[in-house]
Amino acid sequence: MKISHVIASLDVSTGGPARSSTSLVKALLEFNNIEFAEILTLVSDEPIMDNFNNSKGSIKFFETTILDYSKKLDIYLKSQSDIDLYHAHGIWNIPMHQVAKYARSKRKPYIISIRGMLEPWSMQQSRLKKKIAMALFQNRDLTRSDCIHATAFSEAESIRYLGYKNPIAVIPNGIDLDDYPLKDLKSKSAKKKILFLSRIHYKKGIELLIEAWGRLDPVIRADWEIEIAGNGDSIYIDKLKRSIVEKGFQNDIKIVGPKFGKDKINTYHNADVFVLPTYSENFGIVIAEALACGIPVITTKGTPWKDINEYFAGEWIEIGVDALVISLKEMMRKSDLELNEMGRNGRKLIEDKYSIDSVSARFYELYSWILSNDNKPDFVI
């Protein structure tokens, strides 16, 4: 089996899709029946990785011209003759269309991972551009795909609501547990830490966290601080910084910039609670990372993380300031022992349901079904 994956960018700034797609291909290369797997992507300033430590895998970077169209990607696709299946990670981007078009021209099956880009919140952003893209190529690419990949049943429902009748494979993103060690119990600094670590964007609900902080009793806040780690639009980040100063929170809330590699792991390990108060998230890879590191998580029903409540690993709450204030109060009053127990529950959740080994096995089963049309997996709806 030879699989070609395509993603618009592997740059560290793009967040979850770059991490989850590279982790998936790395794990797939360990399967004996995978003869070859590659990632095709556009040139970026700081790719998350540039090759695999496995002779069966490769990563190829292509230069672009206008609108991210890559003539060199076209030339490469035309030169291929032995790829069995194409897997596109994301939509709206021209490289995704290039691969879908060539897969159809060669009568090869292809899968599209939606990556939350058809969720109601996302569809409301840049509506005109998306309407044009749908008319020009995106609807055709989706309609003719052999399978659509969703990371949760809620995302699958959004896809069905839009009228797509293709098979939908519901497979979460996977975490390589070796990359996210459980944090050690150690003496803490004077203040406990609430961590937000993600792309700094309006949809992530950072303003909700800042407002919720202001509604908390100063006595509760006295022993805690908030760290906001991530990158994003500089104008938006400056706006957040001004808001923090205007509210008098500059000693309590720090925006520290993006964290990668060991710095990111240390940032997780130095946190006591992880908060992602997002409006919309198809998966939320940072939630999985925090849980794997043993950090209790507060996140919203804009994510598919109902499991957090079921495993007592944090709280899965309604979107908005009121619910966030209540959850923060409850979490900040817990003892170190209670927080550590919740953190270990979170680690168990990732081990049970979201390890890269189990996720890659499901993708291998999906690819095998598409290529043979035998034994439809139970996660395909």
Side-chain angles (χ1 to χ4, degrees):
M1 190 185 302
K2 296 181 179 180
I3 312 294
S4 184
H5 296 254
V6 61
I7 185 169
S9 176
L10 289 183
D11 198 85
V12 293
S13 65
T14 60
R19 298 200 296 279
S20 59
S21 59
T22 50
S23 294
L24 171 62
V25 176
K26 180 182 175 183
L28 286 169
L29 291 171
E30 299 301 318
F31 286 76
N32 290 334
N33 287 340
I34 297 288
E35 301 173 62
F36 172 75
E38 65 180 357
I39 293 180
L40 311 180
T41 188
L42 303 181
V43 171
S44 62
D45 293 332
E46 193 176 354
I48 194 169
M49 61 188 301
D50 58 15
N51 213 338
F52 297 107
N53 293 322
N54 189 313
S55 60
K56 297 194 300 181
S58 73
I59 300 176
K60 293 181 172 63
F61 296 88
F62 298 91
E63 295 177 354
T64 64
T65 54
I66 189 170
L67 297 177
D68 282 341
Y69 169 75
S70 174
K71 183 176 181 179
K72 291 187 176 181
L73 176 59
D74 267 348
I75 293 171
Y76 179 78
L77 291 167
K78 288 178 181 178
S79 72
Q80 290 181 306
S81 59
D82 58 350
I83 295 297
D84 297 304
L85 182 146
Y86 292 87
H87 186 161
H89 296 264
I91 58 175
W92 308 125
N93 304 108
I94 295 299
M96 307 299 115
H97 171 56
Q98 289 178 261
V99 169
K101 180 179 67 174
Y102 278 104
R104 291 196 300 268
S105 71
K106 297 175 182 180
R107 301 184 184 278
K108 297 289 187 178
Y110 68 95
I111 297 168
I112 298 179
S113 290
I114 300 302
R115 301 290 183 185
M117 297 177 188
L118 291 178
E119 290 295 284
W121 191 95
S122 295
M123 290 294 287
Q124 293 302 312
Q125 313 309 307
S126 303
R127 292 178 66 184
L128 179 58
K129 290 181 179 179
K130 288 176 179 175
K131 186 175 181 179
I132 293 171
M134 273 290 188
L136 291 177
F137 65 88
Q138 193 60 78
N139 184 59
R140 180 170 64 254
D141 291 347
L142 287 165
T143 301
R144 297 184 183 182
S145 66
D146 293 83
C147 184
I148 295 174
H149 164 228
T151 54
F153 282 102
S154 57
E155 185 178 20
E157 289 173 354
S158 297
I159 296 166
R160 284 282 184 254
Y161 178 79
L162 292 172
Y164 294 105
K165 303 184 184 302
N166 320 47
I168 300 176
V170 182
I171 308 175
N173 290 329
I175 288 291
D176 188 338
L177 291 169
D178 291 339
D179 293 338
Y180 297 92
L182 186 67
K183 75 172 186 177
D184 294 327
L185 298 179
K186 56 184 178 181
S187 59
K188 298 295 295 181
S189 58
K191 287 193 172 185
K192 293 181 179 179
K193 185 175 292 183
I194 295 167
L195 174 65
F196 169 97
L197 188 156
S198 188
R199 183 165 59 98
I200 297 180
H201 187 277
Y202 168 74
K203 85 164 187 173
K204 303 292 183 175
I206 301 170
E207 285 100 339
L208 301 179
L209 177 58
I210 295 171
E211 185 178 343
W213 182 257
R215 292 198 195 178
L216 295 171
D217 190 317
V219 175
I220 297 176
R221 296 199 319 242
D223 296 329
W224 288 79
E225 62 185 359
I226 295 176
E227 183 171 284
I228 298 171
N231 51 21
D233 179 74
S234 60
I235 294 175
Y236 179 61
I237 292 173
D238 287 342
K239 177 185 174 183
L240 291 176
K241 289 179 178 178
R242 287 196 300 272
S243 175
I244 290 167
V245 172
E246 288 168 0
K247 295 176 184 297
F249 297 154
Q250 59 268 29
N251 293 325
D252 302 333
I253 304 176
K254 305 293 184 184
I255 298 180
V256 299
K259 301 291 182 180
F260 305 115
K262 290 182 179 180
D263 284 343
K264 182 172 72 171
I265 300 303
N266 290 336
T267 300
Y268 281 130
H269 285 190
N270 288 327
D272 297 276
V273 176
F274 183 86
V275 179
L276 186 69
T278 184
Y279 290 98
S280 177
E281 212 78 32
N282 72 301
F283 183 73
I285 194 71
V286 292
I287 295 171
E289 292 172 354
L291 291 168
C293 287
I295 318 300
V297 168
I298 298 173
T299 194
T300 70
K301 294 181 180 178
T303 76
W305 282 92
K306 181 180 179 181
D307 288 339
I308 288 174
N309 285 351
E310 295 176 353
Y311 272 70
F312 302 100
E315 290 196 308
W316 187 59
I317 63 173
E318 298 293 338
I319 299 169
V321 175
D322 293 341
L324 185 55
V325 169
I326 293 169
S327 184
L328 285 171
K329 282 181 181 178
E330 293 177 355
M331 202 70 72
M332 293 165 70
R333 286 172 172 158
K334 292 186 183 296
S335 67
D336 288 346
L337 183 62
E338 290 174 310
L339 291 174
N340 290 332
E341 183 177 356
M342 294 179 82
R344 275 146 183 74
N345 291 342
R347 175 74 177 196
K348 181 68 164 53
L349 165 59
I350 300 302
E351 290 173 346
D352 287 351
K353 296 189 175 183
Y354 300 98
S355 73
I356 193 61
D357 291 339
S358 63
V359 167
S360 61
R362 275 175 269 184
F363 271 108
Y364 179 78
E365 186 179 354
L366 176 65
Y367 298 159
S368 299
W369 170 66
I370 290 173
L371 292 171
S372 68
N373 204 30
D374 291 331
N375 301 319
K376 178 182 176 181
D378 58 10
F379 52 79
V380 175
I381 58 177

